[in-house]
Amino acid sequence: MSADEASGMGPLVARLSRGGQRLRQADQAHSWVLDTMVVVVVSLMFCLPDLLHGGAGDGDGPRRFRLAFTLLPPTVTLVLQAGLVLPLLWRRRRPMAAFGTIAAVFVLQWSLGAALRADVALFIALYSLALHGRPRQLPWACGIVAAGMVLVAVRASAAVSVWDALFFLLSTATAALALGLMVRTRRAQLAGLRERAARLEIERDQRSRLATATERTRVAREMHDIVGHNLAVMITLADAGVYATDAAPERGKEALQLIGDTGRTALGELRRVLGVLREASDGPSVTPELSPQPDLMDIEALCDGVRTAGLDVVYRTVGDLGALDGGMQLTVYRIVQEALTNSLKHAGAGTRVKLSVVVEDVRLVIRVRDDGPAGRPGSPNEEGHGLVGMRERVALYGGNVSAGPATGGGWAVEATLDMTPRAGAR
């Protein structure tokens, strides 16, 4: 086939496919129409000639063929034809009942020695049973058809060899059975493909929703860290500025400047986090300027910020922290930020905080301890979003976190991260 012929076949195949789909939809909406058409076509092609010419054993055939069969009265012939053809009306709704009725009439007819062209209904019923019936019914149907074919071959032995008749009849029955099974298998495959496509679409939607929920959780955690920490610092500075306004105006002015700097920092981080949620349709003109995520180098600046708010922070590190990847450094920063924010909110200004980040073999340990009151709001039975966020971050690295009253007074937070390279990590 040439390229031009192949290209010309494409539209033809597409039109045939669309036509077949429309026919299937029409058949699903009005199934009785196709069943009635089958009965009408079989009646016109196979029943009417027998009524006009006196049966399949009459006519212009060989004399020995005409003498081998019984010529029935027109009334009996019409009744047998009706018994063979009319059950095809419910061949799809009740395939076994239709096949059984047709087979019974078929056996009765050949027991009388009559040959009718309407016997083709038996093969149509066998095809319908293979296509629409239960698989366990097929062996019984095949046995009935084989017995009927033997009866026909014996009755026709005066006109044709028994073995030739059996070969032809059984071949026809086998073709009808195979065609029904082939169409059934094909429909099952298509139904399976459609079901798989629908399932994959559902799974894709579920993955999309899960990814959206995960991203929302991540953004909410980032916003909690940013807003919670900076607001705590700003509130503490504002309270300090109120007391310092009368006693030391310069300190009050300094507090206001620090509040402005902290607010601008928080606003920039919020813009960065919220900017990544913008729709692509907003255009490049509104694309936010993304700043690097904080790392261990920013912890010192974080400590300076809370020192200005009134905390006395002592910060130390042990081990090689430069070998940590960016994700772990961000995790450490956020845990430290949340712990210092809690100390600032619940212990207040003047509290002494000891902060240490220690690398121990394949573990990284973060310890934050203050000398403020041991009783904190929401503890010990309730957990705020901060502690939940810390646990979620630590869980990504196979670690754990604990928070509670420290031995000897105060409050302690300790988080442990596993530095062992994870599977698939480079």
Side-chain angles (χ1 to χ4, degrees):
M1 181 182 294
S2 64
D4 294 338
E5 292 175 342
S7 61
M9 288 293 290
L12 176 60
V13 172
R15 285 195 295 269
L16 291 175
S17 177
R18 288 193 296 269
Q21 185 176 4
R22 285 194 292 267
L23 286 176
R24 286 192 296 271
Q25 292 174 351
D27 181 47
Q28 290 175 356
H30 307 285
S31 59
W32 61 270
V33 175
L34 179 59
D35 296 334
T36 304
M37 288 178 59
V38 170
V39 172
V40 171
V41 170
V42 171
S43 299
L44 293 176
M45 292 182 61
F46 300 101
C47 296
L48 191 58
D50 285 346
L51 292 175
L52 296 178
H53 302 294
D58 195 12
D60 299 329
R63 177 179 175 81
R64 59 175 183 159
F65 186 77
R66 296 198 304 268
L67 295 175
F69 302 105
T70 303
L71 184 61
L72 298 174
T75 303
V76 178
T77 299
L78 183 60
V79 172
L80 291 175
Q81 287 178 339
L84 290 170
V85 175
L86 290 181
L88 294 178
L89 287 172
W90 63 83
R91 64 185 181 87
R92 292 192 292 180
R93 296 188 299 274
R94 295 180 176 273
M96 190 60 190
F99 173 82
T101 303
I102 294 173
V105 176
F106 179 85
V107 172
L108 174 62
Q109 167 214 319
W110 281 98
S111 299
L112 298 174
L116 297 176
R117 293 180 178 87
D119 290 338
V120 71
L122 181 66
F123 300 114
I124 298 175
L126 180 61
Y127 161 82
S128 299
L129 181 62
L131 178 58
H132 303 290
R134 299 176 182 176
R136 65 172 180 266
Q137 296 172 341
L138 288 179
W140 295 97
C142 291
I144 294 173
V145 170
M149 296 303 104
V150 171
L151 176 60
V152 174
V154 171
R155 283 292 186 177
S157 60
V160 65
S161 170
V162 173
W163 298 110
D164 291 342
L166 275 178
F167 175 78
F168 173 77
L169 295 170
L170 292 178
S171 296
T172 305
T174 301
L177 179 66
L179 180 62
L181 291 176
M182 182 189 69
V183 175
R184 182 180 189 140
T185 302
R186 177 62 176 170
R187 289 183 179 178
Q189 290 175 344
L190 292 176
L193 290 175
R194 286 192 292 268
E195 181 182 356
R196 183 171 182 270
R199 186 170 62 251
L200 289 176
E201 185 175 356
I202 293 174
E203 291 177 356
R204 182 196 63 190
D205 294 341
Q206 290 176 342
R207 286 195 297 268
S208 177
R209 288 194 293 269
L210 181 61
T212 301
T214 302
E215 182 64 14
R216 287 176 177 174
T217 302
R218 186 190 67 81
V219 171
R221 188 168 57 228
E222 289 288 325
M223 291 184 65
H224 172 270
D225 293 339
I226 295 169
V227 175
H229 169 73
N230 288 287
L231 282 181
V233 173
M234 293 170 66
I235 291 171
T236 304
L237 288 173
D239 292 340
V242 170
Y243 291 108
T245 299
D246 297 331
E250 292 298 325
R251 295 300 301 272
K253 180 180 179 181
E254 180 182 354
L256 291 177
Q257 290 176 343
L258 291 173
I259 290 174
D261 293 338
T262 304
R264 281 187 289 272
T265 300
L267 183 60
E269 292 191 30
L270 282 177
R271 283 176 176 171
R272 173 181 59 78
V273 172
L274 296 177
V276 299
L277 301 179
R278 299 267 181 100
E279 296 289 343
S281 59
D282 290 344
S285 60
V286 296
T287 301
E289 295 183 2
L290 303 180
S291 59
Q293 292 276 30
D295 55 21
L296 294 179
M297 300 297 295
D298 297 305
I299 293 182
E300 190 61 50
L302 177 66
C303 293
D304 290 340
V306 295
R307 287 189 186 108
T308 60
L311 288 183
D312 181 12
V313 181
V314 178
Y315 173 46
R316 71 183 183 92
T317 62
V318 178
D320 183 13
L321 302 182
L324 303 180
D325 59 45
M328 183 170 287
Q329 291 194 36
L330 174 62
T331 298
V332 173
Y333 179 90
R334 292 303 188 197
I335 292 174
V336 171
Q337 183 184 51
E338 179 63 30
L340 292 179
T341 299
N342 288 337
S343 295
L344 184 61
K345 288 194 298 184
H346 302 308
T351 302
R352 183 177 180 83
V353 180
K354 294 182 179 180
L355 165 64
S356 64
V357 179
V358 181
V359 175
E360 300 175 349
D361 195 12
V362 294
R363 297 193 312 159
L364 185 145
V365 183
I366 306 165
R367 296 185 179 93
V368 183
R369 177 174 176 176
D370 63 51
D371 58 3
R376 301 288 167 92
S379 63
N381 296 324
E382 298 181 4
E383 295 181 356
H385 295 288
L387 183 56
V388 173
M390 282 194 286
R391 284 180 174 168
E392 290 177 352
R393 292 182 184 276
V394 169
L396 295 176
Y397 292 92
N400 56 77
V401 62
S402 61
T407 303
W411 191 268
V413 176
E414 180 171 328
T416 303
L417 284 69
D418 186 3
M419 298 174 56
T420 305
R422 289 166 291 173
R426 295 185 178 182

